[in-house]
Amino acid sequence: MGCVQSFREICDRQKNTNVRLSLPAVCFVWQTAMIILFGVFIRYNEESDTHWVEHRKANNISSDIENDFYFRYPSFQDVHVMIFVGFGFLMTFLKRYSFGAVGFNFLIAAFGLQWALLMQGWFHSLDYTDGKIKIGVENLINADFCVAGCLIAYGAVLGKVSPVQLMVMTLFGVTLFAVEEYIILNLIHARDAGGSMVIHTFGGYYGLSISWMLYRPNLDQSSRLQGSCYHSDVFAMIGTLFLWMFWPSFNSAITDHGDGQHRAAINTYLALASTVLTTVAISSLFQKHGKLDMVHIQNSTLAGGVAVGTAAEFMLMPYGSLIVGFCCGIISTLGYIYLTPFMEKHLKIQDTCGIHNLHAMPGVIGGIVGAITAAAATESVYGREGLVNTFDFEGAFKDMVPTRQGGHQAAGLCVAICFGIGGGILVGCILRLPIWGDAADDNCFDDESYWELPEDEESVPPILQYNNHMRNKDVEDSNFTMEAVRT
């Protein structure tokens, strides 16, 4: 802790340096690098190459409809919408940072998916006969999953970092994701269809650790902008609804065709529905006058989809999915009420979007639910072939038993947490270097630092509170009463 504090102080003293990395230069250099790397390594796989006709005949495939594209592309569309529309609009709740929320989400997702195709390709899709990475529609889905982890981390530092810092964070985030994903799924042999561990736990703690390293003690200088207004909350709710509707596709996108994919969609559908009712109940119960807090409705209603991800393809049972959603609605909402202020005050973690409550905690819960569900699996419930198919008990793992698989699931959760925290601290140290052009403490959460704004948006009133429209209404009513008295 002392070393980290000293490092922070040294970097803070160097903030006035004139050395800055410009966004155009970084974008051009990295895109050029992507073009070169894709030219060297990336090729189509057998189902997207013109040799598909020969492959179909050689493998006795009767129709083009058997091409994986027709099975996976509908799910890819849904996941793609979640990445670019869902995550982007969910972060538009800040009254003066909507351009940054949607625009920088667009930037880092477009960059991240290219780098993810390379990183994941080297681990999962490398053809050793010619040294090329062969990609198809499933690779595109996995690249979007990889980017999702970085977008989750972005939520923790929203409004406090420069676009160049975001690209550096994405570069390292995608790299760490590809490594931890390979360890968890291939070496440990854990199952994680919806990414509760690999995506949400890793992305959540990665972002929180970076936010801890980039702690700003004078962030209250931007407190006038660190809030929402009526219209920004409505836009954020659009993101919530897109995520909520498409989450069953997210959790089932890369599961096995047939019963596993079907079951994953059902379990996610039910968990999400249960979470909404619980979130509304807890939000109303803990708020003054029994009113609802839009922050809870925008975020905690999604926690059930996060937590059911690992066990989505398991025999969790419909009532089990409802229980998971019920518990997550309570835990996530209470996290926004109590944990977020506690973490900022005592742990020095400034979590702008509350990703700890939407992704990190529900991701850990999902990993635990997955471990318990796997360990409790029996042949009477799954059937012998069902056990082999669901948990992939083949090859080197053909002698695996469910109780041992539960232990492997728990080990996968630990790896995700370690990579998230360790990687976040390391990347946070890099991002504290005084060369990234991040905004001053009194210019955080403001689009004006990085965007050309319409003329009528250039100036901000010094005081703009969330309930300003209600106070104005009270003033108008008071004025009307005074006029009536005078009359």
Side-chain angles (χ1 to χ4, degrees):
M1 292 290 288
C3 293
V4 171
Q5 185 62 34
S6 299
F7 182 79
R8 285 174 174 165
E9 292 172 355
I10 292 171
C11 290
D12 289 340
R13 286 197 296 270
Q14 298 298 321
K15 282 289 184 181
N16 294 325
T17 180
N18 292 321
V19 179
R20 292 286 189 273
L21 292 180
S22 69
L23 181 61
V26 171
C27 289
F28 275 122
V29 168
W30 282 355
Q31 190 55 60
T32 302
M34 291 298 102
I35 292 171
I36 294 170
L37 290 171
F38 268 62
V40 173
F41 290 103
I42 300 289
R43 298 293 183 271
Y44 302 118
N45 68 5
E46 69 271 0
E47 292 189 273
S48 54
D49 191 84
T50 53
H51 293 85
W52 158 251
V53 178
E54 300 168 13
H55 174 80
R56 196 183 73 185
K57 291 178 180 178
N59 290 273
N60 199 28
I61 299 173
S62 60
S63 170
D64 283 334
I65 203 70
E66 296 297 318
N67 191 299
D68 199 40
F69 175 86
Y70 297 100
F71 291 102
R72 301 290 186 192
Y73 190 73
S75 295
F76 165 71
Q77 284 181 304
D78 293 350
V79 172
H80 218 46
V81 169
M82 290 177 70
I83 296 300
F84 287 93
V85 179
F87 278 102
F89 275 88
L90 181 63
M91 293 187 283
T92 60
F93 66 95
L94 292 171
K95 56 177 158 248
R96 287 280 296 179
Y97 205 71
S98 296
F99 284 17
V102 177
F104 293 152
N105 183 92
F106 195 9
L107 171 67
I108 63 177
F111 164 66
L113 65 86
Q114 296 177 67
W115 183 232
L117 285 171
L118 285 161
M119 285 302 304
Q120 290 179 310
W122 282 318
F123 282 106
H124 300 287
S125 307
L126 186 63
D127 186 343
Y128 291 99
T129 60
D130 60 5
K132 305 298 182 184
I133 297 169
K134 306 298 174 63
I135 64 169
V137 67
E138 189 170 345
N139 299 85
L140 306 186
I141 297 173
N142 280 314
D144 277 359
F145 282 173
C146 187
V147 165
C150 296
L151 297 181
I152 290 167
Y154 177 32
V157 296
L158 180 70
K160 300 177 293 184
V161 293
S162 69
V164 176
Q165 283 177 305
L166 286 174
M167 295 188 74
V168 172
M169 192 172 83
T170 303
L171 177 71
F172 286 100
V174 167
T175 305
L176 289 165
F177 181 98
V179 175
E180 61 108 19
E181 178 191 46
Y182 180 75
I183 293 172
I184 292 171
L185 301 184
N186 294 72
L187 301 183
I188 296 178
H189 193 258
R191 306 289 288 177
D192 193 21
S196 295
M197 300 183 293
V198 173
I199 300 171
H200 299 284
T201 301
F202 165 76
Y205 287 108
Y206 178 63
L208 291 169
S209 299
I210 291 175
S211 182
W212 178 66
M213 287 299 302
L214 300 181
Y215 175 70
R216 291 172 177 259
N218 300 316
L219 193 61
D220 57 350
Q221 295 177 13
S222 295
S223 60
R224 72 193 188 284
L225 300 173
Q226 195 176 1
S228 61
C229 65
Y230 192 85
H231 296 94
S232 67
D233 270 335
V234 171
F235 273 106
M237 194 64 197
I238 292 172
T240 298
L241 292 175
F242 269 102
L243 291 171
W244 196 92
M245 289 189 299
F246 291 139
W247 216 292
S249 294
F250 189 93
N251 284 353
S252 63
I254 58 170
T255 52
D256 293 335
H257 300 317
D259 65 289
Q261 199 163 38
H262 199 165
R263 195 163 51 248
I266 292 172
N267 287 335
T268 308
Y269 179 92
L270 294 173
L272 286 166
S274 177
T275 306
V276 173
L277 272 70
T278 311
T279 299
V280 169
I282 297 299
S283 180
S284 177
L285 185 64
F286 282 84
Q287 292 300 111
K288 292 180 180 179
H289 312 299
K291 295 183 179 182
L292 299 173
D293 189 329
M294 200 57 166
V295 172
H296 307 154
I297 308 305
Q298 289 164 353
N299 295 279
S300 297
T301 52
L302 302 171
V306 175
V308 81
T310 296
E313 62 180 333
F314 300 165
M315 292 290 284
L316 186 59
M317 297 302 174
Y319 69 88
S321 302
L322 292 175
I323 292 172
V324 171
F326 177 84
C327 294
C328 279
I330 296 173
I331 293 170
S332 179
T333 308
L334 292 178
Y336 277 100
I337 296 171
Y338 297 112
L339 271 182
T340 299
F342 174 86
M343 289 169 62
E344 180 166 355
K345 182 177 180 180
H346 299 286
L347 302 182
K348 301 188 184 304
I349 297 176
Q350 295 160 326
D351 183 6
T352 308
C353 291
I355 65 168
H356 183 251
N357 312 306
L358 173 54
H359 297 283
M361 281 198 304
V364 171
I365 293 171
I368 294 170
V369 169
I372 294 172
T373 308
T378 60
E379 196 168 319
S380 62
V381 174
Y382 286 77
R384 179 58 194 164
E385 291 187 10
L387 276 176
V388 172
N389 184 58
T390 301
F391 296 104
D392 199 21
F393 290 160
E394 296 175 340
F397 300 96
K398 61 183 175 61
D399 297 323
M400 183 83 80
V401 294
T403 50
R404 189 177 168 194
Q405 179 66 35
H408 283 227
Q409 296 289 143
L413 176 61
C414 294
V415 170
I417 293 173
C418 290
F419 264 79
I421 295 175
I425 292 173
L426 176 63
V427 175
C429 289
I430 296 172
L431 294 180
R432 284 198 69 89
L433 296 174
I435 60 173
W436 308 117
D438 50 325
D441 289 338
D442 59 347
N443 285 326
C444 292
F445 314 116
D446 192 349
D447 278 330
E448 194 171 357
S449 300
Y450 302 107
W451 296 87
E452 292 287 345
L453 301 181
E455 290 183 5
D456 59 341
E457 296 290 339
E458 289 292 346
S459 60
V460 187
I463 300 175
L464 184 60
Q465 299 296 333
Y466 176 71
N467 285 325
N468 186 47
H469 59 288
M470 293 299 295
R471 277 210 321 280
N472 289 343
K473 182 178 182 299
D474 293 340
V475 172
E476 290 171 6
D477 291 344
S478 175
N479 290 339
F480 178 80
T481 304
M482 291 295 293
E483 288 295 330
V485 170
R486 288 172 184 169
T487 303

